[in-house]
Amino acid sequence: MEISPREAEVLELVGAHLSNAEIAARLCISVRTVESHVSSLLRKLEVPDRRALARRAPESAGADRSHPAPALPAPLTSFVGRVSERTALTELIRAHRQVTAVGPGGVGKTRLALAVAAEAAGEYADGVWFVDLVPVTDPGMIATAVAGALGLGEQPGRDMTESVVAALADRHALLVLDNCEHVVDGVALFLERLLATCPRVTVLATSRARLMVPFERVYPVPPLSLTVDGESDAVALFRERAAAVGWPLDPPLRDQITSICERLDGMALAIELAAARCSTLGLDGINAALSHPLRMLTGGSRTDERHRSVRAALDWSHALLEPADRALLRRVSVFVAPFPAAAAAEVAGSEEGIVADGLARLAEQSLLVVTASPHGTQYRALETIRQYGMERLAEVGDLVDARSRHLRWCLAKAAGLAVVREDWRARFDLVADDLRAALAWAADRPEQRADAYGLARRLAELTFTRNLTGESQGRYEQAAALADGPAATVSMFRQAAAVAGCRTVGDDMYRLHRAAADAARRSGDTAGAAADLATAATTAFRFSSTFVRIPPREEALALITEARELAGDDPAAQAAVALAEAGVLTDAFGAAQGPPGNAVPETVARAERAVELARHTGDPLAESAALDALTCAQSWAGDTFVTAATARRRITLLSSMPISPAGTHELIDALGMVTEAGLGAGDLPGARRWARQLADHPSLAEVGHRATCRLLMVDALAGNVDEVLTGSVRFLDAWRRAGSPARSFLCPAVAGVAMIHGLRDDHDARREWQEVLDQLGTSPEHTYGYGAVFDAMLLLHHGQASEALERMAPEPRQVWKWVTWIWLHWYVALRAEAAVLAGSPDARGCLAEARTIVAGNPVASAIVQRAEALLDGDQESLLATADAFDAAGCRYQSARTMVLAGGDHAERGAAALAGLGLALMTPAPTPTMTSKR
């Protein structure tokens, strides 16, 4: 079958070992669309899995893709000379895993590193990646910059460094980190982690100073050669750049050019700036202009040898500017990212037209780089020039004013980033580095504290919506530290806690709620402190699976006691305390063993009281959390359908909530719960609808294993084989990239996928998924809950009814702790069918008990009705269940019914199974069918 152009693009990126999320980012399409293309390619190329698809990528694409094209900036000018330096540096990166090219600004470190990386690209099977650290002002953001270059996004539960390490763990790649000097400490920490866990990654860094890490191999980048025995590199560069501005030089002028290059100490940047002036000054004019400034600066009192030559070249260039252009260059140096003329005008404090003319003149003199973008013409100062401008700004006493105007511009840009506009992400990305830089400056200045708080809070909001949740949490915590009043401090800590919840970092949620409680108590807000203490206690049990260290129960009880004493008659505090009591005192949140039977009424009563108190507060999020407790309590009471209804109430309550960290966290949790409750009640269409909404949630785009696990459960039980095969590719890829976390909530999905492969008779694939299940760890729920259900379905498919009955030997009342939530009706119904097909003498008793328990569940009731029809030999009743299964969205059970009916029906059933992609069924011996009139 023919592969479409878009499929060819996806295939090429699969061959480059990119994840679905990375492919989606690269092609500007949704992750779901990528999944569809991958599924289509699996069918068209007739390969079993993603690994085989990656191996087919080069031949199917019709070109050699064994070595990805290097992800390096395209050079705008030719690279001249440096033969010996390129050879030496290339040999170093072959022999050492981390090499730092060290030298002063303007010596040509970046161009040399790019040339070496381009030449060496063919030696790295997984490519060469370039990361410009110039915009990075926070040493803690190194991993974020690298992740951006790799096309990675943040994954809840893991910081950016973990994401990068997971992506590069098995890659053979060269990573070029450019301009490390201003974030040396952050780079050093990042490299220690990266190189320790990614054994086939080599790093080539450029910096003005050594990184000072034990595994570093330093290569000092020398100035361009000035020898006159043949054409020197410095002279060749001068000639080439002069010719580019329309001033070709004759060979007899070589001595004059050499003289200029010598006076510029062979510094590439200075030579390029000088050559660019040939068309206006000529060689004699350049020599004249260099005389006084260069001698003065070289012979002055400056002791920083790293800057001597570059400073001389830049001072010379600066001296040629008109006073107004000098001032403009100084002021625009506060921008760390490309900026438009309008922004420069605001920071320069002048009219936009005048500033635009000045920017053009600076660009003509190579002091600014001009780039065209969809948002208009942008300007950028090279880092050495930008730093030079900042120093000049400080020298003339204008630094604080310029940075203050830059801060005001950043505040206005941040305030104007309305997320309702489709292009807001692109507009945010354009200014994000400037927002961060302005905040870093303002945060340390007491007089700017109020603006710094406002910018930190806004940046926290924007980065959350941009799905940079790790940064968002940090910005909210920074805002809490900058807040001028206790109310703002408490609010920021609570927001930070909510973002930590979205990241599934329970320990941080707990810490931040306690920090909010401390801040509230210091301000005299005892009710607020009570609410946060109670919420911290609730978090420890409600989200226990997200903790590294779960607080002891005694610690949580102490928090509740303190909260109860502080709550007074405040409704919100009382509601929070009631919720904590419902969770901690009765273990109502996520205790795998559930409460003892005589504690169920108390559990339900406490949860109902928590719901009632939360409703009176008028806070939908508080009510949703209380409904979560009630959902769990009702499930333990055996009220399957009431449980499902309560779970749906949460969705209705949250559906109209605006986007916020707390609302997002609550909605993601609610979607997972309502999906599982729907499965337990046999509402497969509803469960699939909610699971699909969860899988498509943008906050989970980078964590496909979390996003798709519940959808895989639904599709496995329904028999949606194609959907399981497609979704499992995303699941497994994301799970492995996340470091293969052993999260118990993933187990049912993995067991469901393994069952589907068993139904397909794909033993190799089933074995692979069983191995994944083993890595996740087994539990009583696997033995008696989902594991028993999926194993029984597979055994019954293969006609092994006795084995299925043995797998489900315990009576429901014996294993209720592990089947109550989702699996009770499935367990009871399949157990009854296994008893009938195995010829158990207790079959009728099993049927009678099952009929009572599953009444109202369309799927489980149909399974029980089918088993009873088989026992009675009633074909008409048996065939009626096929329609019931179809109506309930359970295609597999419908096809199974037809096979069990025998005769012509069996042929149609076998065809239906084949259409689903499943192997032939081996039915157990059944009683002779009769038709009742």
Side-chain angles (χ1 to χ4, degrees):
M1 299 175 67
E2 184 177 354
I3 296 176
S4 70
R6 176 62 84 183
E7 288 173 342
E9 290 178 318
V10 171
L11 179 59
E12 179 179 349
L13 295 175
V14 168
H17 305 289
L18 270 66
S19 69
N20 286 349
E22 292 170 330
I23 295 172
R26 187 73 60 85
L27 300 181
C28 300
I29 58 179
S30 70
V31 174
R32 188 174 178 184
T33 301
V34 176
E35 294 169 4
S36 298
H37 287 314
V38 170
S39 179
S40 175
L41 287 165
L42 289 170
R43 289 194 302 271
K44 289 183 178 181
L45 297 179
E46 299 180 347
V47 293
D49 55 32
R50 191 184 186 92
R51 287 195 298 272
L53 193 61
R55 289 193 295 269
R56 290 289 301 275
E59 61 184 86
S60 300
D64 180 10
R65 300 291 182 184
S66 57
H67 297 288
L72 301 173
L76 300 180
T77 57
S78 61
F79 185 79
V80 177
R82 297 280 200 187
V83 174
S84 61
E85 292 94 328
R86 280 184 287 176
T87 300
L89 191 53
T90 299
E91 290 176 355
L92 280 177
I93 64 173
R94 286 173 179 160
H96 304 278
R97 294 190 56 218
Q98 199 271 300
V99 177
T100 306
V102 174
V107 76
K109 301 183 297 294
T110 298
R111 291 300 303 271
L112 177 61
L114 287 173
V116 168
E119 291 175 359
E123 301 177 23
Y124 296 90
D126 293 309
V128 177
W129 304 89
F130 178 86
V131 185
D132 184 7
L133 298 182
V134 167
V136 180
T137 56
D138 182 352
M141 298 293 292
I142 303 301
T144 300
V146 176
L150 295 175
L152 300 175
E154 185 163 1
Q155 301 179 357
R158 302 168 60 214
D159 61 27
M160 274 299 194
T161 300
E162 291 172 334
S163 298
V164 172
V165 166
L168 295 177
D170 60 347
R171 303 290 184 91
H172 182 211
L174 174 64
L175 183 65
V176 181
L177 297 182
D178 194 35
N179 295 299
C180 300
E181 55 271 1
H182 59 301
V183 284
V184 167
D185 292 341
V187 172
L189 290 173
F190 171 77
L191 289 184
E192 287 183 1
R193 181 81 172 277
L194 178 75
L195 295 177
T197 52
C198 303
R200 303 178 68 209
V201 171
T202 297
V203 176
L204 173 58
T206 73
S207 178
R208 295 186 183 185
R210 294 177 57 186
L211 303 181
M212 301 299 291
V213 289
F215 44 80
E216 179 184 31
R217 184 59 180 256
V218 176
Y219 177 74
V221 178
L224 292 169
S225 66
L226 297 169
T227 59
V228 294
D229 185 15
E231 182 91 324
S232 72
D233 287 345
V235 171
L237 177 63
F238 193 104
R239 283 180 174 280
E240 200 277 344
R241 298 300 188 257
V245 296
W247 196 263
L249 299 172
D250 296 330
L253 299 175
R254 187 182 65 182
D255 290 343
Q256 295 182 55
I257 299 172
T258 300
S259 175
I260 292 172
C261 293
E262 286 175 345
R263 295 178 70 183
L264 295 177
D265 294 324
M267 300 300 290
L269 175 60
I271 291 169
E272 291 195 342
L273 290 171
R277 280 296 177 183
C278 276
S279 59
T280 55
L281 294 176
L283 294 180
D284 55 343
I286 292 174
N287 262 316
L290 285 176
S291 296
H292 180 67
L294 202 56
R295 284 199 305 270
M296 178 188 67
L297 293 175
T298 300
S301 61
R302 298 186 186 274
T303 59
D304 188 353
E305 293 294 331
R306 296 176 304 162
H307 294 145
R308 183 182 294 272
S309 298
V310 173
R311 193 183 305 280
L314 291 175
D315 278 339
W316 156 76
S317 183
H318 186 264
L320 298 177
L321 297 176
E322 295 295 328
D325 290 346
R326 295 180 194 172
L328 180 59
L329 179 63
R330 292 194 299 267
R331 290 168 182 169
V332 298
S333 67
V334 299
F335 289 100
V336 298
F339 55 89
E346 289 189 43
V347 170
S350 184
E351 295 181 14
E352 183 175 345
I354 295 174
V355 169
D357 286 342
L359 293 174
R361 287 191 296 272
L362 293 174
E364 289 171 359
Q365 298 176 59
S366 301
L367 291 169
L368 293 179
V369 176
V370 185
T371 58
S373 76
H375 302 278
T377 302
Q378 303 276 317
Y379 298 87
R380 178 176 65 88
L382 298 177
E383 180 60 12
T384 52
I385 298 174
R386 194 186 76 80
Q387 290 184 5
Y388 176 85
M390 290 289 288
E391 291 179 5
R392 283 286 188 170
L393 202 57
E395 288 174 6
V396 300
D398 198 21
L399 180 61
V400 173
D401 287 344
R403 297 220 69 154
S404 297
R405 288 192 293 268
H406 180 246
L407 175 62
R408 289 195 294 272
W409 176 82
C410 287
L411 285 165
K413 295 300 290 187
L417 286 169
V419 299
V420 294
R421 286 181 50 176
E422 290 184 0
D423 66 341
W424 86 269
R425 289 176 177 82
R427 293 188 297 116
F428 169 76
D429 290 346
L430 286 174
V431 300
D433 287 323
D434 273 299
L435 301 185
R436 292 163 178 147
L439 177 57
W441 173 77
D444 293 330
R445 303 187 69 85
E447 72 276 12
Q448 301 288 355
R449 186 183 182 92
D451 283 342
Y453 162 75
L455 186 54
R457 184 189 64 190
R458 183 59 177 149
L459 194 52
E461 295 166 352
L462 291 168
T463 50
F464 176 79
T465 311
R466 192 69 179 87
N467 296 324
L468 298 172
T469 50
E471 181 178 358
S472 177
Q473 179 185 328
R475 297 303 181 189
Y476 274 122
E477 293 192 51
Q478 185 178 20
L482 291 167
D484 203 20
T489 299
V490 172
S491 175
M492 293 300 98
F493 275 134
R494 288 173 180 168
Q495 293 284 56
V499 179
C502 295
R503 301 177 63 218
T504 64
V505 184
D507 305 78
D508 280 0
M509 292 179 67
Y510 184 76
R511 169 181 63 82
L512 289 163
H513 276 300
R514 297 199 63 172
D518 290 342
R521 188 163 33 207
R522 287 194 301 270
S523 70
D525 180 11
T526 56
D532 282 300
L533 289 171
T535 302
T538 300
T539 297
F541 287 85
R542 187 181 176 200
F543 302 109
S544 59
S545 64
T546 68
F547 277 73
V548 174
R549 173 198 171 272
I550 301 176
R553 190 169 188 270
E554 294 73 20
E555 186 176 312
L557 291 173
L559 293 180
I560 294 175
T561 300
E562 186 178 0
R564 196 183 293 118
E565 295 170 353
L566 295 173
D569 58 0
D570 182 82
Q574 290 181 342
V577 171
L579 178 58
E581 291 173 340
V584 179
L585 296 184
T586 60
D587 284 2
F589 291 115
Q593 63 272 27
N598 58 7
V600 170
E602 179 187 359
T603 302
V604 174
R606 286 185 182 277
E608 287 176 339
R609 178 173 180 271
V611 172
E612 187 65 24
L613 290 174
R615 184 184 298 115
H616 286 312
T617 68
D619 181 0
L621 297 180
E623 186 176 351
S624 172
L627 286 172
D628 185 26
L630 182 58
T631 301
C632 295
Q634 290 169 338
S635 75
W636 289 329
D639 294 334
T640 301
F641 303 106
V642 174
T643 298
T646 303
R648 290 194 296 271
R649 282 174 60 189
R650 286 184 73 193
I651 299 299
T652 301
L653 186 67
L654 297 169
S655 60
S656 59
M657 290 284 295
I659 295 175
S660 70
T664 297
H665 182 218
E666 197 68 32
L667 179 60
I668 289 173
D669 180 71
L671 286 170
M673 296 292 279
V674 76
T675 298
E676 295 180 353
L679 274 181
D683 180 13
L684 291 182
R688 192 171 200 284
R689 183 171 63 253
W690 291 309
R692 181 77 265 173
Q693 186 177 342
L694 184 62
D696 290 341
H697 198 285
S699 293
L700 301 179
E702 293 295 333
V703 282
H705 55 297
R706 285 188 60 210
T708 59
C709 63
R710 291 176 175 91
L711 186 59
L712 286 172
M713 291 164 55
V714 177
D715 283 331
L717 289 169
N720 299 329
V721 179
D722 284 346
E723 288 82 350
V724 170
L725 297 181
T726 300
S728 65
V729 171
R730 178 185 177 190
F731 176 97
L732 195 58
D733 178 67
W735 179 71
R736 285 173 173 162
R737 288 188 177 278
S740 303
R743 299 289 191 180
S744 59
F745 66 86
L746 302 175
C747 291
V750 174
V753 176
M755 179 200 72
I756 289 295
H757 285 299
L759 295 176
R760 298 174 68 236
D761 277 351
D762 189 339
H763 303 297
D764 290 341
R766 182 167 187 263
R767 188 179 305 110
E768 179 183 9
W769 283 90
Q770 284 295 144
E771 290 173 356
V772 173
L773 192 59
D774 291 341
Q775 292 181 58
L776 294 175
T778 57
S779 65
E781 187 183 7
H782 173 73
T783 304
Y784 302 112
Y786 65 85
V789 168
F790 286 126
D791 286 350
M793 288 179 64
L794 182 57
L795 290 167
L796 289 172
H797 183 86
H798 290 303
Q800 299 172 285
S802 297
E803 290 84 349
L805 183 59
E806 182 179 354
R807 181 70 178 85
M808 310 182 86
E811 295 184 1
R813 70 177 67 91
Q814 295 177 284
V815 296
W816 73 272
K817 298 175 184 178
W818 301 285
V819 300
T820 297
W821 175 230
I822 305 174
W823 309 106
L824 176 62
H825 288 184
W826 293 91
Y827 186 93
V828 168
L830 290 169
R831 186 172 183 271
E833 180 170 310
V836 169
L837 293 176
S840 170
D842 297 330
R844 288 212 178 270
C846 286
L847 284 171
E849 181 183 17
R851 193 182 308 111
T852 300
I853 293 175
V854 306
N857 183 317
V859 178
S861 293
I863 293 175
V864 173
Q865 180 185 343
R866 181 176 64 194
E868 188 170 13
L870 288 170
L871 185 61
D872 294 339
D874 184 350
Q875 189 175 47
E876 184 175 343
S877 178
L878 177 67
L879 292 173
T881 65
D883 295 333
F885 286 125
D886 284 331
C890 200
R891 294 188 290 170
Y892 168 71
Q893 295 294 348
S894 176
R896 174 173 168 77
T897 298
M898 302 302 291
V899 175
L900 290 171
D904 294 341
H905 303 297
E907 293 182 7
R908 291 197 292 274
L913 288 173
L916 292 174
L918 300 178
L920 291 177
M921 198 177 93
T922 308
T926 58
T928 303
M929 290 290 118
T930 60
S931 178
K932 292 186 177 181
R933 298 289 183 184

